[in-house]
Amino acid sequence: MSTSEKPGSVPFSEAEVQSVAAPPADAELEDVEPAEIDEQPPEFEPFERLAQRSRRLPAERVRTVVESLLFVTDKPVTLDQLHEATGVERPRLEEALAQLGEIHRDGVSGIVLTEVAGGWQFRTEPESGEFVRRFLRVKPQRLTRAALETLAIIAYRQPVTRPEIEDVRGVDSGAVVKALLERRLIKILGKKDEVGRPILYGTSREFLEFFALKDLSALPTLREFHELSEEHRTLVDKEAPAPAGTEVLVEESAPGAEEAMEALEQAMEEVEARSKAAAASLGAETAPRPPPEESER
């Protein structure tokens, strides 16, 4: 008896095993067209009827429905989308979102309800991010200093043209702008009404999602960066070193969106400092000279 056979078991031949794994086809059915066995799905319920039925739903049921919708989507869901899908009145939806926010928050749940890009989305708790990345075998995305600097200029001065970006940075930014377009962090807004009709750039919805921002008003200010403690400044410098001579986007092991946001703040401070220095230099060159003294006339 082989080692793979158990006592008292009946061994099967190789032909018998193959016949079970791949049963022979029925020759009589080869020329027969298969029947339709999938029933046609019913039409969607009219919205008016759905809204009328949704008024009778208790608050707990509304919360579970909203939670299910947020779970099945990979994009932020707006209040209007929730209303169109459920027929529930917006105030009740906002109440359900507030309850879910209390249930799914940092330190309490493994997933966190975040208001981002004008909608709501379930995201991994930041403290669990390392384990999730290891499980999925993915590396966090990070931007180079050149990309962050260019993105900061576009975010704070949009709509902005490429020549205007390069005036602030002092270097050619075509490659970085192209990379940001390919990553969908920026988008084309149109063309400026001036000679040459240069293209205007602005941030995209993906930009808000990448940095977990509700909208552009949530961008940090330079004053907030100045108020950072010395310890936090050192952390920013450590987590966002400037790569030498690189002008492209990279992906490597690094902190996630929160660290990228800190680097964005520092990049904005550097951009503002360069802009002020350039303005001061220009003002010194164009300032009128004082009138000559009487003795020199």
Side-chain angles (χ1 to χ4, degrees):
M1 182 174 63
S2 64
T3 57
S4 60
E5 296 176 3
K6 296 182 180 180
S9 63
V10 179
F12 294 96
S13 65
E14 184 176 354
E16 290 174 327
V17 172
Q18 292 181 353
S19 65
V20 174
D26 192 337
E28 296 180 358
L29 298 179
E30 290 183 357
D31 298 331
V32 177
E33 291 293 333
E36 293 288 342
I37 61 175
D38 294 326
E39 185 178 356
Q40 293 296 327
E43 295 293 335
F44 285 111
E45 185 179 11
F47 181 80
E48 292 76 10
R49 186 180 302 174
L50 174 66
Q52 184 178 5
R53 183 163 55 88
S54 298
R55 294 191 187 98
R56 299 192 296 268
L57 293 177
E60 294 77 8
R61 179 56 180 161
V62 173
R63 177 175 56 81
T64 57
V65 169
V66 172
E67 188 174 21
S68 299
L69 296 179
L70 293 173
F71 176 77
V72 300
T73 180
D74 60 346
K75 291 290 184 180
V77 182
T78 65
L79 195 66
D80 289 338
Q81 289 175 322
L82 292 174
H83 175 66
E84 293 174 1
T86 63
V88 179
E89 297 175 350
R90 290 175 176 82
R92 300 188 67 194
L93 291 173
E94 292 176 345
E95 181 181 354
L97 289 168
Q99 294 175 358
L100 289 173
E102 289 295 323
I103 297 173
H104 301 285
R105 66 179 189 272
D106 291 344
V108 176
S109 175
I111 55 176
V112 179
L113 181 61
T114 306
E115 190 174 1
V116 57
W120 284 264
Q121 184 181 31
F122 279 134
R123 295 197 164 196
T124 305
E125 183 197 22
E127 295 295 331
S128 305
E130 176 185 357
F131 305 103
V132 174
R133 289 193 296 268
R134 183 178 180 87
F135 176 76
L136 297 177
R137 299 294 181 182
V138 296
K139 294 182 179 180
Q141 296 181 348
R142 190 181 183 183
L143 306 179
T144 63
R145 176 58 59 85
L148 278 173
E149 189 174 285
T150 303
L151 190 57
I153 297 171
I154 297 174
Y156 282 86
R157 298 195 175 186
Q158 60 184 311
V160 63
T161 65
R162 193 180 122 194
E164 292 170 344
I165 297 171
E166 294 172 350
D167 285 343
V168 177
R169 295 194 64 226
V171 295
D172 181 79
S173 304
V176 181
V177 170
K178 181 178 180 181
L180 292 173
L181 283 170
E182 292 178 351
R183 187 70 71 83
R184 294 186 178 181
L185 293 176
I186 63 174
K187 62 183 179 180
I188 296 176
L189 301 179
K191 292 186 177 182
K192 193 170 185 179
D193 189 14
E194 64 178 28
V195 178
R197 303 279 292 172
I199 294 176
L200 292 168
Y201 298 98
T203 54
S204 63
R205 182 185 180 93
E206 285 77 8
F207 167 81
L208 298 175
E209 294 181 19
F210 185 84
F211 289 101
L213 298 173
K214 175 183 176 181
D215 49 38
L216 291 177
S217 64
L219 282 170
T221 63
L222 292 179
R223 176 177 296 180
E224 291 173 343
F225 178 79
H226 289 305
E227 292 174 354
L228 287 176
S229 64
E230 186 64 28
E231 179 183 357
H232 289 161
R233 290 173 182 266
T234 304
L235 178 62
V236 170
D237 293 335
K238 179 180 178 182
E239 298 294 349
T246 178
E247 293 289 329
V248 296
L249 292 174
V250 296
E251 292 184 7
E252 56 186 7
S253 297
E258 293 184 1
E259 287 76 6
M261 178 60 72
E262 292 177 346
L264 177 63
E265 296 173 0
Q266 186 177 8
M268 272 307 303
E269 183 189 31
E270 295 177 358
V271 169
E272 190 69 18
R274 292 184 186 181
S275 178
K276 289 181 179 179
S281 176
L282 183 61
E285 294 178 357
T286 58
R289 295 183 179 180
E293 299 292 340
E294 291 296 333
S295 59
E296 297 179 357
R297 292 181 182 177

